PDB file of all heavy atoms in Angstrom:
ATOM      1  N   ASN A 242      -1.744  -2.788   1.125  1.00 98.00           N
ATOM      2  CA  ASN A 242      -1.895  -3.877   0.166  1.00 98.00           C
ATOM      3  C   ASN A 242      -0.822  -3.757  -0.914  1.00 98.00           C
ATOM      4  O   ASN A 242      -0.777  -2.769  -1.634  1.00 98.00           O
ATOM      5  CB  ASN A 242      -3.295  -3.807  -0.453  1.00 98.00           C
ATOM      6  CG  ASN A 242      -3.525  -4.814  -1.548  1.00 98.00           C
ATOM      7  OD1 ASN A 242      -3.617  -4.460  -2.713  1.00 98.00           O
ATOM      8  ND2 ASN A 242      -3.639  -6.071  -1.186  1.00 98.00           N
ATOM      9  N   PHE A 243       0.052  -4.757  -1.002  1.00 98.00           N
ATOM     10  CA  PHE A 243       1.090  -4.794  -2.043  1.00 98.00           C
ATOM     11  C   PHE A 243       0.547  -5.557  -3.243  1.00 98.00           C
ATOM     12  O   PHE A 243       0.058  -6.676  -3.093  1.00 98.00           O
ATOM     13  CB  PHE A 243       2.360  -5.457  -1.500  1.00 98.00           C
ATOM     14  CG  PHE A 243       3.099  -4.610  -0.503  1.00 98.00           C
ATOM     15  CD1 PHE A 243       2.776  -4.658   0.848  1.00 98.00           C
ATOM     16  CD2 PHE A 243       4.106  -3.759  -0.904  1.00 98.00           C
ATOM     17  CE1 PHE A 243       3.445  -3.878   1.781  1.00 98.00           C
ATOM     18  CE2 PHE A 243       4.793  -2.970   0.013  1.00 98.00           C
ATOM     19  CZ  PHE A 243       4.459  -3.035   1.353  1.00 98.00           C
ATOM     20  N   TRP A 244       0.666  -4.985  -4.441  1.00 98.00           N
ATOM     21  CA  TRP A 244       0.070  -5.553  -5.648  1.00 98.00           C
ATOM     22  C   TRP A 244       0.898  -5.168  -6.881  1.00 98.00           C
ATOM     23  O   TRP A 244       1.771  -4.318  -6.806  1.00 98.00           O
ATOM     24  CB  TRP A 244      -1.365  -5.028  -5.819  1.00 98.00           C
ATOM     25  CG  TRP A 244      -1.391  -3.553  -6.127  1.00 98.00           C
ATOM     26  CD1 TRP A 244      -1.244  -2.519  -5.233  1.00 98.00           C
ATOM     27  CD2 TRP A 244      -1.512  -2.952  -7.413  1.00 98.00           C
ATOM     28  NE1 TRP A 244      -1.283  -1.324  -5.872  1.00 98.00           N
ATOM     29  CE2 TRP A 244      -1.447  -1.551  -7.225  1.00 98.00           C
ATOM     30  CE3 TRP A 244      -1.674  -3.446  -8.707  1.00 98.00           C
ATOM     31  CZ2 TRP A 244      -1.543  -0.650  -8.280  1.00 98.00           C
ATOM     32  CZ3 TRP A 244      -1.766  -2.549  -9.758  1.00 98.00           C
ATOM     33  CH2 TRP A 244      -1.703  -1.170  -9.536  1.00 98.00           C
ATOM     34  N   TRP A 245       0.590  -5.804  -8.009  1.00 96.00           N
ATOM     35  CA  TRP A 245       1.122  -5.388  -9.316  1.00 96.00           C
ATOM     36  C   TRP A 245       0.100  -5.751 -10.379  1.00 96.00           C
ATOM     37  O   TRP A 245      -0.747  -6.636 -10.171  1.00 96.00           O
ATOM     38  CB  TRP A 245       2.518  -5.947  -9.592  1.00 96.00           C
ATOM     39  CG  TRP A 245       2.666  -7.429  -9.671  1.00 96.00           C
ATOM     40  CD1 TRP A 245       2.703  -8.304  -8.636  1.00 96.00           C
ATOM     41  CD2 TRP A 245       2.783  -8.225 -10.856  1.00 96.00           C
ATOM     42  NE1 TRP A 245       2.834  -9.578  -9.099  1.00 96.00           N
ATOM     43  CE2 TRP A 245       2.896  -9.565 -10.463  1.00 96.00           C
ATOM     44  CE3 TRP A 245       2.816  -7.924 -12.216  1.00 96.00           C
ATOM     45  CZ2 TRP A 245       3.020 -10.600 -11.361  1.00 96.00           C
ATOM     46  CZ3 TRP A 245       2.951  -8.964 -13.119  1.00 96.00           C
ATOM     47  CH2 TRP A 245       3.058 -10.282 -12.680  1.00 96.00           C
ATOM     48  N   SER A 246       0.150  -5.062 -11.503  1.00 97.00           N
ATOM     49  CA  SER A 246      -0.924  -5.152 -12.498  1.00 97.00           C
ATOM     50  C   SER A 246      -0.980  -6.482 -13.244  1.00 97.00           C
ATOM     51  O   SER A 246      -2.004  -6.806 -13.830  1.00 97.00           O
ATOM     52  CB  SER A 246      -0.823  -4.006 -13.505  1.00 97.00           C
ATOM     53  OG  SER A 246       0.309  -4.177 -14.331  1.00 97.00           O
ATOM     54  N   GLY A 247       0.079  -7.272 -13.210  1.00 96.00           N
ATOM     55  CA  GLY A 247       0.075  -8.574 -13.873  1.00 96.00           C
ATOM     56  C   GLY A 247      -0.413  -9.700 -12.968  1.00 96.00           C
ATOM     57  O   GLY A 247      -0.373 -10.862 -13.347  1.00 96.00           O
ATOM     58  N   CYS A 248      -0.878  -9.359 -11.802  1.00 97.00           N
ATOM     59  CA  CYS A 248      -1.311 -10.345 -10.796  1.00 97.00           C
ATOM     60  C   CYS A 248      -2.836 -10.450 -10.825  1.00 97.00           C
ATOM     61  O   CYS A 248      -3.533  -9.541 -10.354  1.00 97.00           O
ATOM     62  CB  CYS A 248      -0.804  -9.896  -9.425  1.00 97.00           C
ATOM     63  SG  CYS A 248      -1.521 -10.736  -8.016  1.00 97.00           S
ATOM     64  N   GLY A 249      -3.346 -11.551 -11.361  1.00 97.00           N
ATOM     65  CA  GLY A 249      -4.789 -11.762 -11.440  1.00 97.00           C
ATOM     66  C   GLY A 249      -5.498 -11.677 -10.101  1.00 97.00           C
ATOM     67  O   GLY A 249      -6.508 -10.973  -9.971  1.00 97.00           O
ATOM     68  N   PRO A 250      -4.999 -12.371  -9.058  1.00 98.00           N
ATOM     69  CA  PRO A 250      -5.643 -12.267  -7.744  1.00 98.00           C
ATOM     70  C   PRO A 250      -5.624 -10.841  -7.183  1.00 98.00           C
ATOM     71  O   PRO A 250      -6.567 -10.428  -6.506  1.00 98.00           O
ATOM     72  CB  PRO A 250      -4.834 -13.215  -6.864  1.00 98.00           C
ATOM     73  CG  PRO A 250      -4.274 -14.220  -7.826  1.00 98.00           C
ATOM     74  CD  PRO A 250      -3.976 -13.428  -9.075  1.00 98.00           C
ATOM     75  N   CYS A 251      -4.559 -10.086  -7.484  1.00 98.00           N
ATOM     76  CA  CYS A 251      -4.493  -8.688  -7.031  1.00 98.00           C
ATOM     77  C   CYS A 251      -5.628  -7.881  -7.653  1.00 98.00           C
ATOM     78  O   CYS A 251      -6.350  -7.158  -6.962  1.00 98.00           O
ATOM     79  CB  CYS A 251      -3.165  -8.046  -7.430  1.00 98.00           C
ATOM     80  SG  CYS A 251      -1.696  -8.790  -6.715  1.00 98.00           S
ATOM     81  N   LEU A 252      -5.776  -8.005  -8.972  1.00 98.00           N
ATOM     82  CA  LEU A 252      -6.805  -7.243  -9.682  1.00 98.00           C
ATOM     83  C   LEU A 252      -8.203  -7.681  -9.264  1.00 98.00           C
ATOM     84  O   LEU A 252      -9.114  -6.852  -9.181  1.00 98.00           O
ATOM     85  CB  LEU A 252      -6.619  -7.390 -11.189  1.00 98.00           C
ATOM     86  CG  LEU A 252      -5.293  -6.842 -11.739  1.00 98.00           C
ATOM     87  CD1 LEU A 252      -5.192  -7.110 -13.229  1.00 98.00           C
ATOM     88  CD2 LEU A 252      -5.126  -5.368 -11.429  1.00 98.00           C
ATOM     89  N   ALA A 253      -8.373  -8.967  -8.969  1.00 98.00           N
ATOM     90  CA  ALA A 253      -9.686  -9.478  -8.549  1.00 98.00           C
ATOM     91  C   ALA A 253     -10.075  -8.948  -7.172  1.00 98.00           C
ATOM     92  O   ALA A 253     -11.257  -8.683  -6.922  1.00 98.00           O
ATOM     93  CB  ALA A 253      -9.678 -11.002  -8.546  1.00 98.00           C
ATOM     94  N   GLU A 254      -9.098  -8.778  -6.272  1.00 98.00           N
ATOM     95  CA  GLU A 254      -9.440  -8.324  -4.922  1.00 98.00           C
ATOM     96  C   GLU A 254      -9.607  -6.810  -4.829  1.00 98.00           C
ATOM     97  O   GLU A 254     -10.254  -6.315  -3.905  1.00 98.00           O
ATOM     98  CB  GLU A 254      -8.396  -8.802  -3.904  1.00 98.00           C
ATOM     99  CG  GLU A 254      -7.124  -8.002  -3.893  1.00 98.00           C
ATOM    100  CD  GLU A 254      -6.150  -8.392  -2.795  1.00 98.00           C
ATOM    101  OE1 GLU A 254      -6.496  -9.155  -1.875  1.00 98.00           O
ATOM    102  OE2 GLU A 254      -5.012  -7.898  -2.863  1.00 98.00           O
ATOM    103  N   MET A 255      -9.074  -6.075  -5.764  1.00 98.00           N
ATOM    104  CA  MET A 255      -9.102  -4.609  -5.653  1.00 98.00           C
ATOM    105  C   MET A 255     -10.523  -4.027  -5.603  1.00 98.00           C
ATOM    106  O   MET A 255     -10.789  -3.159  -4.756  1.00 98.00           O
ATOM    107  CB  MET A 255      -8.249  -3.975  -6.745  1.00 98.00           C
ATOM    108  CG  MET A 255      -6.768  -4.249  -6.522  1.00 98.00           C
ATOM    109  SD  MET A 255      -5.716  -3.690  -7.861  1.00 98.00           S
ATOM    110  CE  MET A 255      -5.188  -2.114  -7.184  1.00 98.00           C
ATOM    111  N   PRO A 256     -11.477  -4.463  -6.418  1.00 98.00           N
ATOM    112  CA  PRO A 256     -12.842  -3.954  -6.273  1.00 98.00           C
ATOM    113  C   PRO A 256     -13.485  -4.359  -4.942  1.00 98.00           C
ATOM    114  O   PRO A 256     -14.292  -3.607  -4.387  1.00 98.00           O
ATOM    115  CB  PRO A 256     -13.592  -4.587  -7.454  1.00 98.00           C
ATOM    116  CG  PRO A 256     -12.531  -4.903  -8.454  1.00 98.00           C
ATOM    117  CD  PRO A 256     -11.319  -5.261  -7.634  1.00 98.00           C
ATOM    118  N   GLU A 257     -13.090  -5.498  -4.415  1.00 98.00           N
ATOM    119  CA  GLU A 257     -13.599  -5.937  -3.104  1.00 98.00           C
ATOM    120  C   GLU A 257     -13.069  -5.017  -1.999  1.00 98.00           C
ATOM    121  O   GLU A 257     -13.810  -4.601  -1.107  1.00 98.00           O
ATOM    122  CB  GLU A 257     -13.184  -7.386  -2.842  1.00 98.00           C
ATOM    123  CG  GLU A 257     -13.576  -8.343  -3.938  1.00 98.00           C
ATOM    124  CD  GLU A 257     -14.726  -9.252  -3.576  1.00 98.00           C
ATOM    125  OE1 GLU A 257     -15.027  -9.403  -2.379  1.00 98.00           O
ATOM    126  OE2 GLU A 257     -15.317  -9.808  -4.514  1.00 98.00           O
ATOM    127  N   ILE A 258     -11.780  -4.714  -2.067  1.00 98.00           N
ATOM    128  CA  ILE A 258     -11.170  -3.783  -1.107  1.00 98.00           C
ATOM    129  C   ILE A 258     -11.843  -2.418  -1.232  1.00 98.00           C
ATOM    130  O   ILE A 258     -12.135  -1.747  -0.236  1.00 98.00           O
ATOM    131  CB  ILE A 258      -9.648  -3.671  -1.342  1.00 98.00           C
ATOM    132  CG1 ILE A 258      -8.958  -5.011  -1.053  1.00 98.00           C
ATOM    133  CG2 ILE A 258      -9.045  -2.550  -0.503  1.00 98.00           C
ATOM    134  CD1 ILE A 258      -7.513  -5.080  -1.530  1.00 98.00           C
TER     135      ILE A 258
END
Side-chain angles (χ1 to χ4, degrees):
N242 175 251
F243 289 87
W244 68 281
W245 63 283
S246 70
C248 167
C251 298
L252 298 177
E254 78 174 349
M255 291 174 97
E257 306 253 342
I258 295 168

